[in-house]
Amino acid sequence: MTDALDERLHTLDAWWRAANYVSVGQIYLLDNPLLRRPLEPTDIKPRLLGHWGTTPGLNLVWTHLNRLIRERDVNAIVLAGPGHGGPVAVANAWLEGVYSAVYPQIGQDEEGLRRLFRQFSFPGGVPSHVAPETPGSIHEGGELGYVLSHAYGAVLDNPDLVAVAVIGDGEFETGPLAASWHANKFVDPTHDGAVLPVLHLNGYKIANPTIPARIPREELESLLRGYGHEVLTVEGDDPMDVHRQMLVAMDAAHDRIREIQRLAREEGDVVRRPWPMILMVTPKGWTGPGMVDGQQVEGTWRAHQVPLAGTRDDDGHRKLLEEWMRSYGPEELFDQDGRPVAALLEIAPSGPRRTSANPHANGGVLRNPLDLPHFSGAAVEVAEPGGSIHEPTRVLGTYLAEVMRRNADNFRLFGPDETASNRLDAVYEVTDKVFGAEILESDEHLAHTGRVMEILSEHTCQGWLEGYLLTGRHGLFSCYEAFIHLVDSMLNQHAKWLKTTRTLEWRPPIASLNYLLTSHVWRQDHNGFSHQDPGFIDHVVNKKAEVVRVYLPPDTNTLLSTMQHCLASMHYVNVVVAGKQPSYDWLDAEQADLHCARGLGIWEWASTGGPEPDVVLACAGDVPTLESLAAAALLREHLPDLAVRFVNVVDLMRLQDERAHPHGLSDRAFDAVFTTDKPVVFAYHGYPWLIHRLTYRRTNHDNIHVRGYLEEGTTTTPFDMVMMNDLDRYHLVMDVIDRVPGLGQRAAGVRQFMEDTRRRARAWTREHGEDLPEVQQWRWPGSAAG
Amino acid sequence: MTDALDERLHTLDAWWRAANYVSVGQIYLLDNPLLRRPLEPTDIKPRLLGHWGTTPGLNLVWTHLNRLIRERDVNAIVLAGPGHGGPVAVANAWLEGVYSAVYPQIGQDEEGLRRLFRQFSFPGGVPSHVAPETPGSIHEGGELGYVLSHAYGAVLDNPDLVAVAVIGDGEFETGPLAASWHANKFVDPTHDGAVLPVLHLNGYKIANPTIPARIPREELESLLRGYGHEVLTVEGDDPMDVHRQMLVAMDAAHDRIREIQRLAREEGDVVRRPWPMILMVTPKGWTGPGMVDGQQVEGTWRAHQVPLAGTRDDDGHRKLLEEWMRSYGPEELFDQDGRPVAALLEIAPSGPRRTSANPHANGGVLRNPLDLPHFSGAAVEVAEPGGSIHEPTRVLGTYLAEVMRRNADNFRLFGPDETASNRLDAVYEVTDKVFGAEILESDEHLAHTGRVMEILSEHTCQGWLEGYLLTGRHGLFSCYEAFIHLVDSMLNQHAKWLKTTRTLEWRPPIASLNYLLTSHVWRQDHNGFSHQDPGFIDHVVNKKAEVVRVYLPPDTNTLLSTMQHCLASMHYVNVVVAGKQPSYDWLDAEQADLHCARGLGIWEWASTGGPEPDVVLACAGDVPTLESLAAAALLREHLPDLAVRFVNVVDLMRLQDERAHPHGLSDRAFDAVFTTDKPVVFAYHGYPWLIHRLTYRRTNHDNIHVRGYLEEGTTTTPFDMVMMNDLDRYHLVMDVIDRVPGLGQRAAGVRQFMEDTRRRARAWTREHGEDLPEVQQWRWPGSAAG
């Protein structure tokens, strides 16, 4: 080893020791942060809630990445996949001076260090996982599996950025992580940055060895090469030896990344090449206590959490802790005031090159609003309600195409092989689907550069989009309604991130996470029961009201208006459910805009009678709106004296009261629409009880009768589906008759006719495989459509 | 090619052609099934909803598996991963004679064939995907990703069984599938059967090429070897050549499987070896129309669905369809009556060796009830309520250990690396964790044989358990409550399967899918906000009431009683939520059994006053029960005259009315417990609105005031968590004071004391990192616990 190299390695080691020291201190200490005196029981936290196992390896990555950033002026962020990596990110941010800048009460001195230690996993403090509160983070380390897809999302359209993604060998076993390795086939080396995966093999998860650590190394390397990577291995337990290997590996990986990018950018050579990755094999709990109470801890799963559990009460454990912390040489690392010594401060990157201060990890500061066209440019002409037919998502595609034209580096569309199926293919006039693997002449709209991302993994799509949003850009995820449940738990984590960051002033808001759920429950004509589930809405509304919005536009123009609104919004989760099948237009652009702005409203043209209704027909969702309008038409024909108020709901959150949700209507406004005492027959897109849950505090709640999806379905016709769930027009009319006081007797014949028609419709469908002609050809009274 | 081989291949080809013919017929034809006359428009279905693309490849697998089964008397089932494989499974079941046996109205003759064709994707008929209605299936092909984990679940403890799992190259991209390759490290070659994965590379998904088809073959093979497989490749587009390759590959794969099993079983050599798999590369839509309207269809994504869309109206398309169907030579394949010719019938396996009749694919017929010990053997002594403390799941572990001792080949425990964390480790006294990869001396409870299955993939755990249940066995999945959301969509599919099979008489019920959700929302002390989500209950209760059950046992003995009940039950999804932390015992074994049998009940010992209460304190969940009891004690102390009825709910479904759920209480019974007019303060484990959704039809609903999880959380103490969500004892007392008419004025001082105590508790926690001593040391009045 040359002297110069030797010195570099010792400097790196000093940083690593400092980071380890500050990490251990967070796990254990309430006080005495610099060990100026022997540790006393009262210096130790009453509840030890940290995890040491993953820490030294993560600190190694931070240490060496900092070296690379400094020496080569690299623009890099780091994402910690392993759980409980919080102390690491916090320790390095503090050493870099960023933590104290963001949180001035935590100074870069002894008192600051004391507070830093104390607050970790302490009530009112910071979590054990890397979290929204952690400077430099776009990735919560709590739920495993998403670190690679987040990292890939971050580097899209960020050609200079390198995202280092540390994958724990536990996380390695999860499905979402396993799928996301293939995200490397969607990186465009010309216009995107690079991800450097670091697979940290420390051998153990909570209570078991990990699979990748217990298969032959050549088998693991075969797997990683199969994922499309060149594997650079760093392995050992001698710190200086590992430092040397890591330094070489980081340089080699960076050289390789830059070479792939140079070939693409300077020579136009975009042939896919294996991207580098680092396989880092170091002991779990490395440099921590070796043997405790006669059992091996370092290098085993016993190092996963707190390797010395009795440090408050057990003098022996406390002594081991003190020895352990002193082994890092704090006296060389911190000065008399508790500041990191100059030699450490000098090797930190500076300004925004510090990973904890990199603006890409705080996307709100980089976010540029979309240049959004007004939707009226894409709107369809609607001369009269029901006078024309369009495929809502197909028209939306033309709007999205214009959005993508105007926001070439700031917006992407994500989907699991469903963009065309969901009829958004107008976007291909503007851009292509990006694909880094082989492209054949026969492929359409597939290119090495493109802004539509399709992989048959909802998890990867969601992770990409989250990473893209968290680094300051905008996007839309279109998905079959039933299968968006695949990302339920990812949605949880993102919604929690949004909720938490609302109160962090230093994190400006990011763009909303927008879902277009189409191919929905009512039109799964050829897929049947397995594809019928409208429950994602229920899942979403359990999240904090401030961050979730649900929209059910009933036709093409309302879909356009809704989507424009969602794309312009910030820091929400917006769920838009809309059909792709040909369906009637009800509102022109102006009416649609007004209706969507109100969120819900009375459709006078579909109502009958004076201002005092006998019954309210309410609906939310495109198919329920169709059935409700058909019911209104039937009532008009068969019971012309009945005063029917027709109400359509686009913004589902309007139904809640204003105390429960920011969009909630006041009780007064709600009562004005839904009355305080008239029966309400409500046709809803999803599970009916959600409407009860949203309205149970309303004056008229006891009179609200909801029809929706009752988990009845199969492969059948559209009208048979609504009949199976009693949401059809005939049943809605029967509901009205049953609920309007005094109507039952008078309308017995009408009710019987409805029942007979239902029976006839069922039989017709079984016989012909199609819906009853009068249903297929139904049109709103007086309209010219057909 | 020898003549003998040649003849074998031609026989196989005949079966394959017959299966293809019967598949195409299902997609297109209403009538004229044997093409006895030229196709007319009226012979064609009005809505063409099938998918041809995947069909010929799947039929190839069935054809050659049948040959293997027959020649070697193999006990095999087949699982079709690709979507829309329904026609294939149906065609082969019909050719094998099983379809007509199960559904006598579909005879094995011309009229039967006509009905078979007509019913496919037709109202009242059968779905496009392999479905519960399909004989021989344990795997719905609708939602992609689970075919491998289902197959591995099926072969556990079935040493003779070979499960052939066909993986589509679209499904290959999903996360759950990617993770499940590693399931091969959990197969015990001595006691388990084998899975033979067949990766079908036909190159395209709905609208895109697939990743595995567009990376270099050596990269794909490297990946598959890295997954632990020996790859046998079958590739081509010349049928006879592919038949020859497939025959060789099937034999080789079977030889290899038997050799691995022989080594283990006869020589005790259980070193993990690469299991064989088949990489089958054939064109999408193979043998279908090549060019249609000037565009290449065969071998492209255009063959994914219906390659000839206009066959009803377009004479040219219809002619192409007829040519296509005739190309299979139906006149050689079916006799005058429409029966498969004798040469075909002869080569089908017979009896239960037919994959469509294999009893392993209809687990209910094989299911043996568990030998269940009564839980009282594991129950804890409870001298008085709150008189002792146990960790409920730790005690449950001792019960489960006995269950596993008695049911050595009929029960398994599944978990994502959490069995020990969830404190069920008593089971290791009876069995080990199975692990086929390297085992070190330092590993504990890890062995090549074992009945606890741990992989850090909730998807794989769920898939394993589903496969195990569907083949007639029993099991339990223990999981952190928050992360069970990862399998939301898998739960959907399984619940739909259960719902559908309830009405299929030929499928007897299977064992229930049992979840133990622990490490729950209220006790995520070191994990914090990312691990706090009780919403899986909400997700589950959206499923059909007949198949879902939710239990919230409040203490150790009620947990035991509940689990015994769940393990004995059939054909349900049972969700049991219970804590693992030390907590008070409230009921002895006898009381617990009675309480659980009732599902909910009044706890007289915790109530005060006479039969007419002033207020009902209700609770569901262990932490809410503790807080409610503490509130009851506070009320007893501070407002001794107040008549408080204490109600605990174990079986959440009791809250619904009897029309909504089979467990629902009658209105009369509900009113008797919850009164018709008294305030009810309900402390609930999860999101509070669920209680409203379950009770909104009840007489007293307007008086029910629910406290629950409000999506507020962080890393903090247990009591701070309940305070953050207003579920704490002090707040419950305040709720009572606010709601009992006339109490407000009289109890103003008590209310103020509660507010002050809350403030003091918050400050104490921030200062000391622990809960208020009086909370930590709280005990039920008069009990001896501490």
Side-chain angles (χ1 to χ4, degrees), chain B residues 295-309:
Chain B
Q295 288 197 300
Q296 181 65 31
V297 172
E298 186 187 11
T300 78
W301 81 92
R302 294 191 191 92
H304 180 72
Q305 291 196 8
V306 178
L308 296 161

Side-chain angles (χ1 to χ4, degrees), chain A residues 680-697:
Chain A
V680 178
V681 174
F682 199 126
Y684 169 56
H685 172 85
Y687 295 107
W689 29 85
L690 180 63
I691 301 301
H692 290 293
R693 173 258 213 252
L694 296 174
T695 60
Y696 73 87
R697 285 180 179 161

